[in-house]
Amino acid sequence: MVPKEGIAPIYNATYTLFRLSPLYVPGAKDFWLEDNLSFHARRFAESIQSDNLRPTNLVLEEAEETINKSGPFKQCRWHVLQQPGDDIEPVRSADDLGVLQGLQVNVEYERATYTALLLKGVESTEDANRDQVRLPLVCIRMPAALRSSFSYYMASAFDTRMEPLQLNGATLCETLESFLKECAEDEDSFEKTVKEIQLSLSFNKPIQPTLKSIDVAIKREDVAGFLAQGRIVSAAQTTSTKFIAGAFMSGLQKYLQVQIALNLNADQITVSKIACGAFALGREGKLKLFAPNVGLNDDGEYDDAAMASRRATGQLLQLLLQAAFGNT
């Protein structure tokens, strides 16, 4: 397995997450055909060039300098990230992770390109009804007005609804736990991928007028200790918690309880953001993924550390797909 060139579009950019209800598409199997996608690309391009939304006014809710940076409209492209059902190889192209199946929409201007990724996961998510296509998770990097235009087009063309994907604290913690567990299977991958871990804890009711949240940072060299302590705490746990049982959060919860008398299980405390060297994820639905580490063995194939990093990233996206799918 020889690495391919290029970086998947989901990496190294901040996306806003949305959930999308099933698309109504008569003869859904034809949705992925190039001619069909080109047709929708042309129609969407026409809609954003209409009198109501001229190129120079695309970013009505953004600063004036952002408008000027985009420049004249060039083209709109819709294309498949990965043909449904194809085998996936964990490479660094747009097809590098199994969960990166779906649709990519690019709106290109002279000096900027805006992107929407509509993801469907490894498993076929077409409904038993042949007139439906499921693309439950949408990752968007567009100005507000263009994003609104895209949402309107999807609703009018496919009778679907796009809504912000808000994540609760338990989902954020599960995502972090899953990522750490996968990386921990290879010590080299863990060292290269997991750096300082940062968590933002929000209070439903401010403890003090100016204290609405606190940030917790754990140095990379301390993460293994929290995991080890957490495994001991989890094994001895007899009462339920509001978080999915996991080694890292169990260790952190124990540490904060002892050191500063802060109980993460209190109803008024919520995990609102998590970040490490590989990704950042917020409760409001903001995601930034960094490209997994590349390591090659003597045969020119990805080494164990690189494969572990990719599996961890794939599992993270799969959990987000499940969160979106559960709400569509």
Side-chain angles (χ1 to χ4, degrees):
M1 176 170 43
V2 179
K4 298 179 183 179
E5 296 298 327
I7 298 292
I10 200 169
Y11 294 131
N12 303 333
T14 299
Y15 284 90
T16 303
L17 305 181
F18 289 80
R19 61 190 186 188
L20 189 69
S21 64
L23 281 63
Y24 174 69
V25 184
K29 62 183 178 62
D30 295 331
F31 173 79
W32 306 98
L33 298 180
E34 183 177 359
D35 288 347
N36 188 38
L37 296 181
S38 295
F39 167 77
H40 287 291
R42 288 194 302 272
R43 285 192 59 191
F44 182 45
E46 291 169 358
S47 74
I48 61 178
Q49 291 180 284
S50 67
D51 290 340
N52 293 328
L53 195 58
R54 294 183 184 277
T56 55
N57 293 321
L58 267 175
V59 202
L60 298 177
E61 301 179 25
E62 302 293 325
E64 184 66 28
E65 57 269 21
T66 304
I67 302 175
N68 296 332
K69 286 180 180 178
S70 298
F73 174 82
K74 291 181 62 178
Q75 66 175 340
C76 177
R77 298 180 63 240
W78 291 36
H79 61 90
V80 176
L81 275 175
Q82 171 89 21
Q83 289 290 351
D86 284 358
D87 293 332
I88 309 290
E89 297 259 314
V91 296
R92 297 183 70 223
S93 72
D95 309 331
D96 74 331
L97 293 170
V99 290
L100 283 182
Q101 290 190 3
L103 176 68
Q104 180 175 348
V105 175
N106 281 351
V107 182
E108 300 178 16
Y109 295 85
E110 188 176 72
R111 294 184 293 275
T113 297
Y114 302 111
T115 302
L117 305 175
L118 291 72
L119 304 184
K120 67 181 290 292
V122 178
E123 300 82 5
S124 175
T125 52
E126 272 73 21
D127 195 271
N129 183 336
R130 290 181 298 174
D131 293 339
Q132 286 190 347
V133 171
R134 288 188 179 272
L135 296 164
L137 179 62
V138 184
C139 307
I140 289 186
R141 187 170 56 83
M142 291 179 176
L146 181 57
R147 185 170 67 227
S148 177
S149 180
F150 177 69
S151 177
Y152 178 80
Y153 179 81
M154 295 298 292
S156 60
F158 303 109
D159 192 23
T160 185
R161 181 177 176 84
M162 194 172 78
E163 296 180 339
L165 177 61
Q166 305 238 333
L167 305 170
N168 57 38
T171 300
L172 264 61
C173 293
E174 181 184 9
T175 301
L176 178 61
E177 293 283 6
S178 173
F179 191 89
L180 294 176
K181 181 178 179 180
E182 195 69 53
C183 285
E185 294 184 3
D186 184 275
E187 184 176 348
D188 191 27
S189 174
F190 194 87
E191 288 293 325
K192 292 179 179 178
T193 304
V194 180
K195 300 179 182 178
E196 179 180 88
I197 295 178
Q198 298 177 336
L199 296 92
S200 293
L201 308 177
S202 300
F203 304 105
N204 296 334
K205 294 182 179 180
I207 297 177
Q208 296 291 335
T210 58
L211 183 57
K212 299 181 180 180
S213 66
I214 62 173
D215 294 330
V216 178
I218 297 93
K219 294 181 180 179
R220 175 168 55 183
E221 55 267 28
D222 294 330
V223 174
F226 277 95
L227 287 170
Q229 180 63 33
R231 294 186 187 101
I232 297 174
V233 173
S234 296
Q237 189 75 47
T238 58
T239 59
S240 61
T241 69
K242 65 180 182 180
F243 299 120
I244 294 177
F248 180 79
M249 289 304 299
S250 295
L252 178 62
Q253 179 179 308
K254 179 70 173 179
Y255 178 84
L256 294 178
Q257 180 75 54
V258 172
Q259 297 296 324
I260 59 175
L262 180 65
N263 182 11
L264 288 183
N265 278 310
D267 291 337
Q268 65 268 33
I269 298 177
T270 302
V271 177
S272 56
K273 183 178 180 179
I274 55 176
C276 65
F279 70 93
L281 181 64
R283 186 176 59 177
E284 75 283 6
K286 294 287 187 181
L287 169 69
K288 184 168 186 178
L289 278 175
F290 296 95
N293 290 313
V294 177
L296 304 179
N297 58 26
D298 294 338
D299 296 326
E301 299 177 347
Y302 287 117
D303 60 22
D304 292 342
M307 294 298 290
S309 177
R310 279 161 174 72
R311 286 194 302 270
T313 304
Q315 181 63 25
L316 182 153
L317 285 172
Q318 190 63 50
L319 288 171
L320 293 178
L321 272 161
Q322 292 172 3
F325 188 78
N327 291 285
T328 60

